[in-house]
Amino acid sequence: MTSYLTKHRPGRTIFANPGPTNIPDSILQASAVPSIDFTDEDFTNNVYLPCIDGLKRVVKTTDGQIFLNAATGNGAWEAVLVNLLSQGDKILIVEGGFFSDLWGMMARNLGIKVDVLSTNVRTGVDPAELRSLLSKDTAHEIKAVCVVHNETSTGVTVPLADIRKAIDAAGHPALFLVDTISSLASIDFRMDEWGVDGVVCGGQKGLMLPTGLSFAAVSPKAWAATETSTLPKHYFNWRFQIQRIPHKSFAGTIPSHMFFALREALRLIEAEGGVDAVLARHHRLAEGVRRCVQHWGSGDKVVQKEGAPEIFCEDKTRYSDSITAILIPGEGKPAQVKQIAINLGVSLGGGIGKWTQGKIIRIGHLGDNNEASILGVLGVVETALNIAGVPHYAGGVTKALQYYAEQRIAQQTNGHTL
Ligand SMILES: *Cc1c(COP(=O)(O)O)cnc(C)c1O
């Protein structure tokens, strides 16, 4: 593939940013089609509507409705807020990091009052604290609890089932709104089972799409809330969109090319064995990354080596299967490692927001990855640690490949081919 950059980088750069992610060739090719009339019945019945069914399978809903936008994830954030809330309503943002902060800022700019449940961003929210906070809101002023499922800036995934239980235990009627932009199709998410009312979803992360499509999945309870919502809205107005039969989305032209790409992405998911098989692969690949980073940090010892890399997330039960944030001590070291890595053929994410800017690198392992791509990333990062003079125990990559070997052998024992 020709590089779109002026600087020639021989070989194929391994893209390990946590969004956008790698786009599989077959998805790129699927969208290389001539323009069509977007009201064409063949397109509607054979491309568009099957995509909606596929998205419902990915978010695991049968009761929910899907509303799409030609926008990035920010558009879906906005759609969920403006369709469900009114001027002066109060919401609770559960702090997680840069993205939860940004969602809160958007809400304030839209005229919504925002309370923040502060957390230690290296572990994420304690459901018991959420429960106690909601129990004190006896007047039920909080209209929605907003949670980022997987905080892309920290690599912490919060347990949504426990958060649902905390809301129920407080007997609180607030809507449960969840940002799944970096967890969809990469980390277990169950809209109906976990009683999520508004799901915010993006295309260019786990769904492997070119950037520009996002959507919301809306529960019957949330749909009822759209009746009383008075915040100004137009392009994102679901009650307007639903009248556009049969597409029920988009105030203007339907971005048909995105649907050819989406149909292929959904086909790839099914061809791998369905969304659960995709989640299992993400878990396996992520676990290899973690074993590697842990080895860099402490080798076979218990104590962390001074100045060595460390997983940012401090709760082992909340490690993210879509992105690993790695703390690298030393002024300027993360940026140096990131720059060396790109020169060696691996694109990484850096720190973003007040908690992680300048302090971490982020390995995105969501979307279209396999052992080969992940081992390539880890090998290059270990090389970069050497070049940048970051103290570490050598041989982290060996830990990852040993783990992948064990996993494959176990799968073979279970009747799968190697
Ligand atoms: C990427 C991301 C967003 C923002 O989405 P855009 O597509 O960049 O607008 C919001 N939340 C999370 C968790 C993300 O990872």
Side-chain angles (χ1 to χ4, degrees):
M1 185 178 284
T2 33
S3 173
Y4 50 88
L5 299 170
T6 47
K7 190 169 169 192
H8 175 60
R9 294 198 179 110
R12 189 161 186 161
T13 296
I14 303 182
F15 198 72
N17 289 54
T21 67
N22 283 305
I23 307 174
D25 291 349
S26 73
I27 292 183
L28 291 171
Q29 285 152 10
S31 52
V33 292
S35 288
I36 49 149
D37 178 342
F38 64 80
T39 64
D40 183 284
E41 271 186 26
D42 193 21
F43 168 73
T44 303
N45 295 327
N46 296 313
V47 182
Y48 188 92
L49 294 175
C51 281
I52 304 299
D53 288 343
L55 291 178
K56 286 185 175 180
R57 279 196 298 280
V58 174
V59 296
K60 297 192 174 163
T61 186
T62 47
D63 305 340
Q65 301 184 73
I66 304 281
F67 294 100
L68 294 118
N69 326 293
T72 67
N74 270 264
W77 263 350
E78 182 159 341
V80 163
L81 296 175
V82 297
N83 278 284
L84 301 179
L85 298 160
S86 300
Q87 199 88 23
D89 272 359
K90 191 202 274 186
I91 63 171
L92 180 70
I93 294 274
V94 173
E95 186 174 70
F98 176 75
F99 287 103
S100 69
D101 250 21
L102 214 56
W103 199 8
M105 185 199 296
M106 173 187 277
R108 277 185 214 100
N109 287 338
L110 291 168
I112 298 163
K113 288 186 197 140
V114 176
D115 277 1
V116 176
L117 174 55
S118 307
T119 66
N120 170 352
V121 298
R122 292 188 69 177
T123 56
V125 63
D126 174 359
E129 273 182 36
L130 174 65
R131 177 187 169 170
S132 112
L133 189 154
L134 291 175
S135 299
K136 286 180 198 133
D137 180 34
T138 48
H140 297 158
E141 282 177 8
I142 294 168
K143 299 297 175 212
V145 174
C146 301
V147 180
V148 174
H149 184 199
N150 180 71
E151 177 53 65
T152 323
S153 66
T154 61
V156 176
T157 307
V158 294
L160 294 176
D162 294 347
I163 292 173
R164 174 76 260 173
K165 278 189 208 138
I167 300 171
D168 292 344
H172 203 289
L175 294 166
F176 185 22
L177 309 181
V178 175
D179 169 341
T180 67
I181 296 177
S182 64
S183 59
L184 198 72
S186 46
I187 296 170
D188 190 19
F189 175 76
R190 308 172 194 188
M191 177 180 178
D192 289 2
E193 192 180 322
W194 295 341
V196 181
D197 295 304
V199 190
V200 178
C201 312
Q204 81 275 19
K205 302 199 182 172
L207 279 180
M208 310 167 285
L209 296 180
T211 304
L213 193 74
S214 62
F215 67 98
V218 181
S219 77
K221 177 176 165 184
W223 180 248
T226 63
E227 269 178 52
T228 52
S229 156
T230 61
L231 278 178
K233 48 192 154 289
H234 179 78
Y235 182 69
F236 295 124
N237 189 339
W238 296 335
R239 295 189 80 85
F240 169 66
Q241 290 182 8
I242 202 168
Q243 294 166 30
R244 300 195 81 207
I245 305 291
H247 299 105
K248 297 184 186 167
S249 280
F250 303 103
T253 303
I254 292 170
S256 49
H257 285 79
M258 293 301 276
F259 285 88
F260 286 102
L262 176 56
R263 179 174 69 167
E264 176 59 12
L266 293 164
R267 189 193 68 77
L268 291 176
I269 291 171
E270 293 305 325
E272 191 175 336
V275 73
D276 290 338
V278 174
L279 304 183
R281 168 172 54 86
H282 277 79
H283 179 69
R284 186 175 75 243
L285 295 177
E287 185 57 28
V289 172
R290 295 190 282 264
R291 288 184 184 212
C292 174
V293 179
Q294 276 153 355
H295 185 84
W296 288 334
S298 53
D300 300 324
K301 314 215 163 31
V302 182
V303 189
Q304 177 76 12
K305 189 190 204 62
E306 177 109 19
E310 182 185 349
I311 295 177
F312 186 79
C313 175
E314 286 182 325
D315 180 340
K316 289 182 168 39
T317 67
R318 295 183 174 190
Y319 283 155
S320 164
D321 284 341
S322 64
I323 167 248
T324 299
I326 307 168
L327 200 63
I328 301 182
E331 187 70 31
K333 289 292 181 196
Q336 221 183 321
V337 169
K338 188 170 180 288
Q339 183 57 48
I340 295 167
I342 190 70
N343 293 340
L344 299 179
V346 168
S347 179
L348 299 167
I352 40 172
K354 64 181 175 192
W355 291 282
T356 61
Q357 178 94 45
K359 298 187 180 128
I360 63 167
I361 56 165
R362 293 178 302 146
I363 297 178
H365 32 78
L366 72 169
D368 191 46
N369 284 295
N370 56 20
E371 282 79 356
S373 64
I374 298 298
L375 289 170
V377 171
L378 297 176
V380 159
V381 174
E382 192 162 329
T383 309
L385 294 175
N386 278 317
I387 297 171
V390 175
H392 65 284
Y393 288 97
V397 182
T398 305
K399 296 292 171 188
L401 60 90
Q402 281 169 347
Y403 174 75
Y404 294 146
E406 282 163 24
Q407 290 297 304
R408 285 290 168 151
I409 291 165
Q411 279 183 9
Q412 187 192 37
T413 318
N414 294 332
H416 294 85
T417 43
L418 272 180

